[in-house]
Amino acid sequence: MKFVLAASVVLFSLAVPVKASSGLFWEYGSWTVYVDDIDTGEDLRRTCVAITGGDGMPTVKVEISDGDAGPPHAYPSVVINESAIRGYGTVMQDGQDAYVRFDDEDSMDGTVAGYFDDEGFAQADIAFHSPQSQWVLQAMRRNGQMDVVVAHQEFFTAFLDGFTASYLKMMEQCGFDGTGVVE
């Protein structure tokens, strides 16, 4: 009985938005969805992000805005990001070959883009943009983990538990649905 009560509390808490200082957020498994409303001066835009990782580890982020063209015409990008502390470089280096590999052995090739952000921190991204992002999003939906391989070495593993719920919540909050990824 205690387990049923605890499970009910956990499930209820997953479905209830929590007000953060800058917007709403939800947590589903290993994923968090953030929603921010931004006043551009001309109009109000809503940005919706699903992300996993962080706290010193690389992240996998999917992002869309209510002003973007959405599915079925364009799909949100999937960006794997590594951030280094000031004065240090990233493990991933600009121009390195990379790929993501899923449980079902499907994979998608990419290339590392290294750069410094506006605050001088080293960053490195592997980005999959539409139309390739649709394939990556579909693979993320049907698998349990995604391995990021850089220069023939496994670099990072992203767990995909909660991805589908996060993707649907993110899309819903920005006025879209799961078309093309979640049927």
Side-chain angles (χ1 to χ4, degrees):
M1 185 64 177
K2 287 181 184 179
F3 174 76
V4 172
L5 180 60
S8 298
V9 169
V10 168
L11 289 175
F12 178 73
S13 68
L14 292 178
V16 177
V18 178
K19 184 73 171 165
S21 60
S22 62
L24 298 172
F25 76 93
W26 291 261
E27 292 182 339
Y28 300 94
S30 296
W31 289 77
T32 303
V33 175
Y34 295 96
V35 176
D36 283 315
D37 293 321
I38 301 165
D39 187 351
T40 66
E42 293 181 21
D43 55 7
L44 188 63
R45 287 280 179 229
R46 176 166 272 198
T47 301
C48 304
V49 176
I51 191 167
T52 189
D55 287 334
M57 297 297 296
T59 60
V60 179
K61 179 170 82 169
V62 181
E63 180 175 352
I64 195 164
S65 167
D66 63 355
D68 293 343
H73 307 291
Y75 291 86
S77 295
V78 177
V79 179
I80 297 142
N81 172 265
E82 177 192 7
S83 180
I85 60 175
R86 188 178 305 278
Y88 288 87
T90 56
V91 174
M92 296 193 301
Q93 296 295 304
D94 188 50
Q96 285 180 313
D97 290 332
Y99 64 91
V100 291
R101 177 183 58 222
F102 297 92
D103 297 358
D104 62 7
E105 297 300 321
D106 277 346
S107 64
M108 173 69 77
D109 292 335
T111 302
V112 176
Y115 60 97
F116 287 91
D117 66 15
D118 293 341
E119 297 175 6
F121 292 96
Q123 305 285 324
D125 291 343
I126 304 167
F128 300 99
H129 302 293
S130 193
Q132 291 84 7
S133 63
Q134 180 185 14
W135 184 93
V136 175
L137 291 164
Q138 290 170 341
M140 290 169 71
R141 184 201 179 308
R142 65 175 187 268
N143 285 281
Q145 73 181 44
M146 176 175 72
D147 297 321
V148 179
V149 179
V150 178
H152 309 291
Q153 299 286 328
E154 189 171 306
F155 172 68
F156 169 66
T157 298
F159 296 100
L160 302 173
D161 59 304
F163 171 74
T164 302
S166 295
Y167 181 78
L168 289 172
K169 178 56 80 175
M170 175 195 81
M171 296 300 280
E172 169 198 297
Q173 290 296 306
C174 274
F176 302 104
D177 60 25
T179 299
V181 175
V182 181
E183 301 299 336

